[in-house]
Amino acid sequence: MAPAIAKPLLSDLVAQSGQVPSSHIRPVGDRPDLDNVDHESGAVITLIDLEQLDGPDRRKVVEAIGSACETDGFFMVRNHGIPEEVVEGMLRVAREFFHMPESERLKCYSDDPKKAIRLSTSFNVRTEKVSNWRDFLRLHCFPLEDFIDQWPSNPPSFRQVVGTYSTEARALALRLLEAISESLGLDRGHMVSAMGRQAQHMAVNYYPPCPQPELTYGLPGHKDPNAITLLLQDGVSGLQVRRNGLWVAVNPVPDALVINIGDQVQALSNDRYKSVLHRVIVNSESERISVPTFYCPSPDAVIAPADALVDEDDDHPLAYRPFTYQAYYDEFWSMGLQSASCLDRFRPEKQDDCSVP
């Protein structure tokens, strides 16, 4: 009898074996240590009401966003402007996609990290020594008309529903970047302008139930390489943020999105605001869906802080030498997901070939 062909996607592999494959088991010193997680402090991750962001109390909302970026790098938003039916539709078609037959899903499969549209597993299966407990569908989505025809055509409503959500998410990302600019004392449009033509992509994540969640990660601790991330998640907990040396569980809040700043805002703010370590753990009872939308500079955008944020005499020297987002992203991808900050490679004292010529 011919040997069975290995399943390329985790969800199909687990459905077949019902076990944690050896490829997904972390070394003993690199496991989640689920007993040492703070499940209380997550409740104090700032929840910001955006209803007045374009109203008479805008200044208060902007100050709250700035404070959250400075202290935690993470916050939640409600009254964010994305209609409830759009959010529910996004989660619905995500679940429908990952529940389709294996043969249908695999039409989108690729292990090539350079492909703009692809279904894959873990993070980068070509280079990883240990895989992560995740399947994902990666979609580039701005400009939308450049990519939507390459998206999956099943489920039948996928392109329409996801296209609407991605457009709404972009509008929210731009509003938040304007508020972040203002909170730093800059012109409202500074951050958006500094990002050039901009880019946007999303990862539709599927985390199957895991028989032994203490052995693996959905995603290990890492910082986001982009400017700002908008996270939509179902009601299943999984996100954890590093705070004061502890992992803190950030449980889902109904009708709220989780926002975190990425490395590009840290660089553009000249280290005023911090990109923060976060990770995803899995559980043995429930599947989990999450949809992070990543808003990014264009590859040729030169990332450097505004002159007003650099002052050698005021304890704010230049934190990073100017670099293109493409140079940064190439470095990030070569490092893979790890706790070390890719930004450290762009400190002024680390001169190499990654800076702007």
Side-chain angles (χ1 to χ4, degrees):
M1 181 180 295
I5 298 174
K7 301 283 188 180
L9 292 174
L10 170 67
S11 51
D12 301 316
L13 186 61
V14 175
Q16 183 183 57
S17 70
Q19 298 177 343
V20 179
S22 59
S23 57
H24 289 69
I25 297 177
R26 292 271 165 178
V28 173
D30 184 28
R31 292 178 182 174
D33 192 11
L34 299 176
D35 291 333
N36 287 313
V37 174
D38 184 348
H39 291 278
E40 303 298 328
S41 297
V44 300
I45 294 290
T46 305
L47 176 60
I48 299 175
D49 192 328
L50 296 185
E51 188 172 19
Q52 289 299 317
L53 184 57
D54 297 314
D57 288 333
R58 178 179 179 85
R59 173 46 51 186
K60 291 182 180 179
V61 180
V62 166
E63 289 175 354
I65 290 172
S67 177
C69 290
E70 188 172 16
T71 57
D72 280 326
F74 268 79
F75 55 98
M76 298 184 190
V77 294
R78 63 184 178 190
N79 289 321
H80 44 68
I82 303 180
E84 182 179 1
E85 62 271 18
V86 174
V87 168
E88 291 177 349
M90 180 68 240
L91 290 173
R92 184 189 73 251
V93 297
R95 187 166 285 105
E96 289 174 354
F97 176 86
F98 282 103
H99 286 180
M100 289 193 305
E102 178 185 14
S103 59
E104 185 65 29
R105 282 179 283 119
L106 287 179
K107 292 177 180 178
C108 305
Y109 182 81
S110 173
D111 64 3
D112 181 359
K114 294 182 180 180
K115 288 195 67 173
I117 316 296
R118 69 186 181 109
L119 174 69
S120 196
T121 190
S122 189
F123 179 71
N124 184 356
V125 294
R126 291 185 173 183
T127 60
E128 291 165 337
K129 294 181 179 179
V130 183
S131 295
N132 303 302
W133 199 264
R134 173 184 82 139
D135 291 334
F136 67 93
L137 178 64
R138 176 181 170 89
L139 302 172
H140 279 233
C141 38
F142 181 77
L144 183 61
E145 61 272 15
D146 288 355
F147 299 107
I148 193 169
D149 289 342
Q150 303 172 51
W151 290 1
S153 56
N154 276 320
S157 63
F158 187 92
R159 292 179 180 176
Q160 185 272 321
V161 170
V162 179
T164 299
Y165 177 80
S166 67
T167 299
E168 295 280 356
R170 176 175 185 264
L172 175 58
L174 293 174
R175 293 174 68 208
L176 291 170
L177 286 167
E178 288 178 348
I180 289 170
S181 291
E182 286 186 65
S183 72
L184 289 164
L186 304 174
D187 291 340
R188 181 181 295 193
H190 178 83
M191 284 280 177
V192 175
S193 177
M195 290 169 57
R197 291 172 288 112
Q198 305 154 35
Q200 177 188 345
H201 60 95
M202 66 170 64
V204 185
N205 293 323
Y206 180 75
Y207 303 96
C210 178
Q212 294 175 282
E214 70 277 6
L215 299 181
T216 190
Y217 288 106
L219 287 172
H222 64 283
K223 299 179 181 181
D224 285 354
N226 51 294
I228 191 170
T229 302
L230 285 61
L231 177 67
L232 167 64
Q233 51 189 337
D234 62 11
V236 179
S237 182
L239 175 66
Q240 297 181 349
V241 176
R242 194 72 171 171
R243 175 197 272 178
N244 298 326
L246 294 174
W247 287 107
V248 177
V250 182
N251 294 322
V253 172
D255 303 319
L257 298 177
V258 178
I259 311 297
N260 67 280
I261 63 169
D263 283 357
Q264 306 315 303
V265 165
Q266 178 168 330
L268 288 168
S269 72
N270 202 38
D271 265 359
R272 304 295 216 279
Y273 296 162
K274 302 295 184 183
S275 179
V276 176
L277 276 175
H278 53 288
R279 68 180 188 178
V280 178
I281 55 97
V282 291
N283 71 87
S284 59
E285 292 82 30
S286 304
E287 65 181 11
R288 178 172 180 263
I289 297 282
S290 74
V291 185
T293 295
F294 306 102
Y295 209 78
C296 318
S298 56
D300 59 353
V302 177
I303 305 302
D307 291 342
L309 300 179
V310 181
D311 189 340
E312 298 285 346
D313 299 324
D314 191 31
D315 297 325
H316 292 295
L318 183 68
Y320 310 99
R321 64 186 185 278
F323 56 86
T324 64
Y325 183 60
Q326 184 66 61
Y328 169 88
Y329 198 73
D330 289 345
E331 284 288 300
F332 175 85
W333 198 260
S334 71
M335 287 177 62
L337 291 184
Q338 55 177 278
S339 58
S341 176
C342 183
L343 274 179
D344 287 341
R345 299 190 177 191
F346 296 88
R347 296 285 183 184
E349 64 272 17
K350 292 185 179 292
Q351 295 296 328
D352 52 30
D353 294 330
C354 301
S355 57
V356 176

